[in-house]
Amino acid sequence: MAAGAALGGRLLTTSTVMAAPGRTAAVAKSSAAATHPVKQVHLAGTDGWVGMPGDAPPDPPFFPDPLAPSPFNTYVFGFRDVTGMTSNLVAAQRGKAQISAPMMAFDEEDDIYLTLTNLGLAQRPDLFDGHTLHWHGFVNAIPLFDGVPELSLAVPIGRDLTYFYRPHDAGTYMYHCHFEDVEHVQMGMTGMVFVRPAQNRTPLHPGERYAYNDGDGSTAYDREFAFMITELWSAAHYRDAHIQVNDWTDYDPSFWLLNGRAYPDTTAPNGDPLSTAAGRLQYQPISSLIRCNAGDRVLLRMSNLGYQNHVMTVDNIDLTVVAKDAALLKGRDGTTNYLTSNAVEVGPGESRDAIFVAPGPGEYLLYDRKYSYLDNGGGAGYGGMMTKIVVGAPGTYPAQTAANA
Amino acid sequence: MKRLTIQRALALTAAALLVATPVLVRTQASAAAEMSEGVLCDTDPNQTFSLTARDGYISTPDGNSIYMWSYSNSKRGFQLPGPTLCVESGRQVTVILHNSLPEATSIVFPGQQGVKANGNPAQPQFDSGGSLTSLVQTAAATDGSVTYTFTAGSPGSYLYETGTDVDKQLQMGLYGALVVRPAGHPNQVNDRADSAFANGKEYVYLLSEVDPDVHLAVERNQPVDVNASKSRYFMINGRSMPDTLAPNNAPWLPGQPYGALVHIKPYDAVTNPLPATIHYLNAGSVNYPFHPHGSDERVINRDGHALQGGSGEDLSYLKYDLDVGPGQTLDVLMDWRDVEHWNATTNPIPTQLPAITDQLLVGSDTWFSESGYLGTKNAVPSNLTQNNECGEYYHIAHSHALEQATNYGAAFGGMMTVFRIDPPAGCVSQ
């Protein structure tokens, strides 16, 4: 399980990923590759349509967007996992963006070749926006692969660029497009990336997995769930679809999202963006439903690429924050400074890793303590940035095969 | 979708040609005379400073001119933010405030000890009806003055800011940075030896915001509704990107003397072992989640106090995003480590770098060297402005509440700057 896995939009498991053609380079380039396994991922940047909860009140003309094809209602930009696809199939993904972007996971010291193809925008063929990958929080980045077009490169429509990363530090990171980032990030080009620690190769106990190289097993976990925290401002999405311009300092979100979905969609199962079976959530494939057995150690990875601070809380369960911004809370002299709390604040651009031990069977809510973020478009009832922790009796759920499974 | 043209010459080359000078012994006179990088301290052997609250104008990169109130050194003209006062921990500090504004104003000194105003304990002021009029004793409108004294607190960075009609006066610009240095260790952030930073590599990032409508109303002597305020400009040291990159005392920014360009070389255990330090201060009303690309920063101080346990345990932590709340300060250590050491012959970058004709630029400026290799600079077409001098690296650093990374909503502006990383041997200009 410790092997690196690129969790695509289809939330591929480790074994599936490793078996997929093109995922893993067949030929090692040199002897150095023995310590740097080669991982290849192919992402495409484009636009598309997604569905916020349909019972949210209308906010004419912004929501639902009258241009949206049924069953969708909101225009987005996003990334798609096109690893292993033929060039014809890749081209066919134009106009089929997903939010959140594919979750990716790698091991420390992997050699990662990440190709980004810019498919252009189906709804806005007049725009010639570039796209980039910015691996947010990646220490030791060089500008060439940092994705800030003013300080490096951007990928024009119809072209691709292969980024190279060799992560040395385990933790929870994010990635997003940095081309006109205020717009492209809000429009949905945001995803999560984890780097798994070298300690997984030499576990303190057989089969154990860790969030960090903790040295003492204190970040061991049985299951992991990751949450991309964002907000969605319907007016901005409408204006992008309708050839209008935003004043971003008027920012005023309409929906508050976990992995691109608002409650109760957050609790729907994982989907496959290549399958229409998921209907309105087809292009929002990543579930936020937490399922675990009593006594499981559950790792929560939380990353915020919204523009607001969020305080995530859960009643009746204590959360122990072991890391902030992909850095274990441990001083230079080795002093551990984990923080046990029932409320975890995550600011824009920040991440948190928190571990809890699942209590007795039951259902628990994980939600943003700012109650005004717990509705959909200002409508009645609960919505927004909320999901469920479902705890079963020991043995209810088999071993987890992938994050958020 | 908005296209941006950077209109202003950035004078980065001029800044780079100046040799970095140590900042700690800089006098007020010399500070005003030079163009430079890093913190510009106001210092005084007796730690006595004379400040004047006065009005003036700042300019924004999109061509706006905004009426401000700010503190200045009484011997100098208007500046935003107020002078950076550098003092020594445990010693007495005297600040004489003169007021030339049309209403009473004051200064509060959060985190300092034994603060007095005209010899009396500093304390809230009430009118005859019992209503709070100021958090502290004031200097009267137009020509009043007040003398504050205090003992400089524990080493670290602090705000000093108005305590009178705070919503309005803080918005108008009455704030500044106070850097308290450990006694006997001017090149440390705090009393811990592991807080040492490289000589001259000290930076203050005083973060704030502006609602131009409030400023226009004050300028026109019209009523101000601060509750209806909507910030449109977000600044580091009173400047928005790209003005943040201009050197200290840039002549085209006469009222905004402080730059925000971090300029370092890669970490090297022998030749460059010490980190730089950045003092983050939030003088605004919302959180500023500041994200530097390419390196973590180690938070070693919060609100003027070292992060350590009762027995000196190190409780500092690494962050890739410094979320600074209103009134808070963070002192960090930062360096940049060239772990891969890409080299065109011995360790080439393993992917294909596209020709510039196969790239897409935003605007007509680039800071990219057209090479992935530190110290190598390749040509760009003549219609582009190439801000790269010698193949140095640039990493952006900006607020990740991305509406703050705009100038009145237009992207690539606002609370944003760059960290410049020169080749280990220095930048030999071509």
Side-chain angles (χ1 to χ4, degrees), chain A residues 29 113 124 127-130 134 136-146 148-157 159 161-164 166 168 172-174 176 178-185 239-240 243-251 303-309 324-333 335-337 345-352, chain B residues 1-4 6 192 194-195 230-234 241 287 289-291 293-296 298 300 302 312-323 333 336-340 342 347 349-354 357-362 365-373 392-396 398 400-412 416 418:
Chain A
K29 293 195 309 167
Y113 293 82
R124 289 294 305 277
L127 283 184
F128 52 94
D129 284 35
H134 166 57
H136 176 109
F138 189 36
V139 177
N140 308 314
I142 65 168
L144 173 60
F145 296 122
D146 196 46
V148 180
E150 294 85 352
L151 280 58
S152 56
L153 309 173
V155 186
I157 291 168
R159 295 207 175 93
L161 175 70
T162 298
Y163 293 78
F164 178 84
R166 183 182 287 156
H168 304 286
T172 298
Y173 300 85
M174 297 154 247
H176 62 82
H178 223 290
F179 190 96
E180 295 177 356
D181 57 340
V182 192
E183 175 190 23
H184 287 209
V185 169
R239 291 190 188 110
D240 258 20
I243 322 181
Q244 298 175 22
V245 173
N246 284 295
D247 178 348
W248 294 101
T249 56
D250 283 332
Y251 188 63
S303 294
N304 181 353
L305 283 176
Y307 306 170
Q308 299 174 324
N309 285 64
K324 298 178 177 180
D325 293 8
L328 196 64
L329 290 173
K330 197 171 258 198
R332 288 164 290 183
D333 60 5
T335 303
T336 297
N337 193 27
E345 179 166 33
V346 195
E350 291 191 315
S351 79
R352 297 286 185 274
Chain B
M1 73 176 82
K2 210 175 284 180
R3 304 286 160 199
L4 176 82
I6 293 175
R192 298 171 60 93
D194 57 14
S195 71
K230 192 94 176 170
S231 294
R232 308 295 188 180
Y233 296 100
F234 297 87
M241 175 78 178
N287 281 53
F290 201 85
H291 170 53
H293 287 212
S295 59
D296 277 2
R298 180 169 289 279
I300 60 169
R302 214 166 45 201
E313 301 93 334
D314 180 24
L315 302 182
S316 69
Y317 48 84
L318 289 166
K319 293 277 290 166
Y320 54 63
D321 187 302
L322 296 307
D323 192 18
L333 301 178
W336 185 83
R337 300 191 181 215
D338 189 3
V339 170
E340 300 326 324
W342 298 120
N347 187 29
I349 288 168
T351 66
Q352 184 72 36
L353 180 64
T357 48
D358 284 347
Q359 302 167 21
L360 184 59
L361 295 163
V362 185
D365 276 56
T366 184
W367 283 261
F368 184 46
S369 64
E370 290 301 321
S371 164
Y373 300 101
E392 71 274 16
Y393 286 166
Y394 289 96
H395 269 305
I396 204 125
H398 62 96
H400 225 284
L402 289 175
E403 83 279 8
Q404 297 172 355
T406 70
N407 295 321
Y408 214 139
F412 210 65
M416 176 185 287
V418 300

Side-chain angles (χ1 to χ4, degrees), chain B residues 153-362:
Chain B
S154 56
S157 61
Y158 300 87
L159 288 162
Y160 67 90
E161 55 194 355
T162 178
T164 308
D165 198 358
V166 286
D167 273 352
K168 173 184 162 191
Q169 292 196 359
L170 201 63
Q171 166 64 227
M172 287 304 292
L174 289 162
Y175 44 75
L178 173 69
V179 178
V180 176
R181 305 194 179 289
H185 297 285
N187 269 28
Q188 289 178 196
V189 173
N190 57 40
D191 287 319
R192 298 171 60 93
D194 57 14
S195 71
F197 58 90
N199 189 32
K201 298 302 179 187
E202 181 179 27
Y203 304 90
V204 166
Y205 280 7
L206 179 52
L207 311 176
S208 66
E209 62 200 278
V210 162
D211 173 0
D213 289 350
V214 169
H215 295 251
L216 199 60
V218 172
E219 183 177 18
R220 292 174 174 175
N221 207 21
Q222 294 168 341
V224 172
D225 182 1
V226 290
N227 292 322
S229 180
K230 192 94 176 170
S231 294
R232 308 295 188 180
Y233 296 100
F234 297 87
M235 304 184 301
I236 309 171
N237 298 336
R239 299 180 182 179
S240 294
M241 175 78 178
D243 292 341
T244 48
L245 311 189
N248 292 328
N249 293 315
W252 61 93
L253 295 166
Q256 295 149 282
Y258 298 152
L261 175 79
V262 168
H263 191 172
I264 59 173
K265 292 178 184 176
Y267 166 84
D268 183 273
V270 176
T271 61
N272 190 29
L274 287 173
T277 184
I278 305 174
H279 309 292
Y280 292 93
L281 303 93
N282 182 338
S285 64
V286 295
N287 281 53
Y288 301 131
F290 201 85
H291 170 53
H293 287 212
S295 59
D296 277 2
E297 301 189 356
R298 180 169 289 279
V299 182
I300 60 169
N301 256 39
R302 214 166 45 201
D303 304 326
H305 293 274
L307 289 168
Q308 60 182 356
S311 304
E313 301 93 334
D314 180 24
L315 302 182
S316 69
Y317 48 84
L318 289 166
K319 293 277 290 166
Y320 54 63
D321 187 302
L322 296 307
D323 192 18
V324 198
Q328 289 189 321
T329 70
L330 299 175
D331 300 323
V332 310
L333 301 178
M334 68 83 64
D335 57 27
W336 185 83
R337 300 191 181 215
D338 189 3
V339 170
E340 300 326 324
H341 282 102
W342 298 120
N343 180 291
T345 49
T346 61
N347 187 29
I349 288 168
T351 66
Q352 184 72 36
L353 180 64
I356 189 163
T357 48
D358 284 347
Q359 302 167 21
L360 184 59
L361 295 163
V362 185

